Amino acid sequence: AGAQTAYANDLQINGFLNITAGVIDNEKIIDSPAAPGYDTTVGFDSQTLGGLQISKKVNDNTSATIQLMSRGKQDYQTEAAWAYVTYDLSDNTSIRFGRLRTPFFQYSDFLEVGYAYNWITPPAIVYRLDTMSALNGVDMTHQFTLGAMDGSFQLFTGRFKDDFDLDGDTYEMELRSAVGAVLNLNAGNFGTRMSYHQAGFYINGLTADQNGRTLDRLLDLAQSFGVQLGLDTSNIEPQGQTATFFQGSLFWDNGSTSLVAEYTGLRHD
């Protein structure tokens, strides 16, 4: 569901609400990436969410945007998913500063607005970096036309730092010096998108402890085996190694029927 209201041409309020129910009929695939958060009892919380986005035009070149999100998987606590200022350098080029959506995927900009894409939810096997869906930084977007082709080119840099849960344990994850580029091209009913992203990856606070959290125990085990085998274990703990993510997609949409294919890859040193 979605709603939009505009006031005095300079204040815009958009709202959206997704109510999603799911159930798994096979206990063997509980906790599967294909159906995260569901089990053999019908559940609503995993992917139900609501959002409110407020945009205010400050002057002819500047606007401010904030998006508030409430997700069922986070006990419906409200948080600021986006909060940024946009400055238009020209009719075709703009810069944004603040908390931005990380542009990993074809549908990143409206990933949580359910009526904006073809699925009930996008395939979780591909759209699997929701933990890092936003970062604090700056981006620049330039729109252009080449003959019958329209396009846009986006550059961004920033930093991400937040907690994530794994097997009931909480860790602090960080991406430093994140950079990326996105190219969109459209001609008639056809389009393509390509993107590349790179960052230094950290998990802060890990300690080699056989009685600690899952990753602490794994680190302790790896270091113990490394010493016994005479191997260098200094690079096991993720402390700044380069992580890269790339994406490519093709789509066709004639207004009533659409086809889309998307490929993603994740590499980590």
Side-chain angles (χ1 to χ4, degrees):
Q4 176 176 318
T5 306
Y7 298 99
N9 297 321
D10 63 356
L11 177 65
Q12 182 170 301
I13 301 174
N14 298 278
F16 56 91
L17 175 66
N18 301 337
I19 300 177
T20 307
V23 62
I24 291 177
D25 64 357
N26 186 337
E27 292 184 357
K28 294 180 180 179
I29 61 171
I30 290 178
D31 295 328
S32 164
Y38 294 111
D39 54 30
T40 54
T41 302
V42 175
F44 286 85
D45 290 343
S46 177
Q47 291 169 308
T48 293
L49 55 85
L52 184 69
Q53 181 169 308
I54 303 170
S55 298
K56 177 72 168 67
K57 196 167 183 63
V58 179
N59 54 44
D60 291 340
N61 301 98
T62 310
S63 63
T65 301
I66 185 170
Q67 184 182 97
L68 302 177
M69 289 293 305
S70 179
R71 299 178 177 87
K73 64 182 179 182
Q74 297 176 347
D75 296 325
Y76 299 98
Q77 298 179 7
T78 301
E79 65 176 7
W82 301 355
Y84 59 84
V85 172
T86 304
Y87 181 76
D88 296 327
L89 296 174
S90 67
D91 291 340
N92 298 320
T93 306
S94 62
I95 297 179
R96 299 186 301 174
F97 306 86
R99 185 168 179 82
L100 309 169
R101 167 71 75 175
T102 313
F104 286 132
F105 305 107
Q106 170 75 35
Y107 294 104
S108 282
D109 284 347
F110 41 90
L111 189 56
E112 290 162 324
V113 187
Y115 67 86
Y117 42 73
N118 299 345
W119 305 277
I120 296 176
T121 59
I125 297 293
V126 174
Y127 285 72
R128 63 192 188 278
L129 299 179
D130 58 325
T131 301
M132 297 174 283
S133 62
L135 56 77
N136 298 319
V138 57
D139 72 358
M140 181 181 71
T141 301
H142 176 70
Q143 299 176 334
F144 59 88
T145 300
L146 295 174
M149 181 179 295
D150 296 323
S152 66
F153 182 69
Q154 178 187 8
L155 291 172
F156 76 88
T157 183
R159 186 173 182 174
F160 169 88
K161 185 177 181 180
D162 203 356
D163 292 339
F164 76 101
D165 294 325
L166 178 66
D167 294 336
D169 298 320
T170 300
Y171 305 89
E172 184 184 83
M173 179 171 55
E174 188 173 0
L175 299 179
R176 298 180 189 174
S177 302
V179 296
V182 183
L183 175 65
N184 283 286
L185 297 173
N186 296 275
N189 296 334
F190 293 91
T192 184
R193 182 186 192 273
M194 294 169 283
S195 67
Y196 176 85
H197 316 265
Q198 178 177 304
F201 178 63
Y202 296 78
I203 297 181
N204 299 324
L206 285 182
T207 56
D209 184 356
Q210 61 180 344
N211 298 315
R213 300 165 299 179
T214 301
L215 294 185
D216 295 329
R217 297 197 303 271
L218 181 62
L219 180 61
D220 178 72
L221 183 64
Q223 290 183 350
S224 298
F225 272 103
V227 171
Q228 294 177 23
L229 298 175
L231 301 177
D232 179 12
T233 62
S234 61
N235 208 35
I236 293 177
E237 187 177 355
Q239 288 296 319
Q241 294 93 328
T242 299
T244 60
F245 180 84
F246 48 91
Q247 171 269 349
S249 59
L250 296 169
F251 59 91
W252 176 81
D253 190 339
N254 67 356
S256 60
T257 304
S258 63
L259 300 171
V260 59
E262 185 166 15
Y263 175 83
T264 62
L266 180 63
R267 300 289 182 269
H268 180 54
D269 288 346

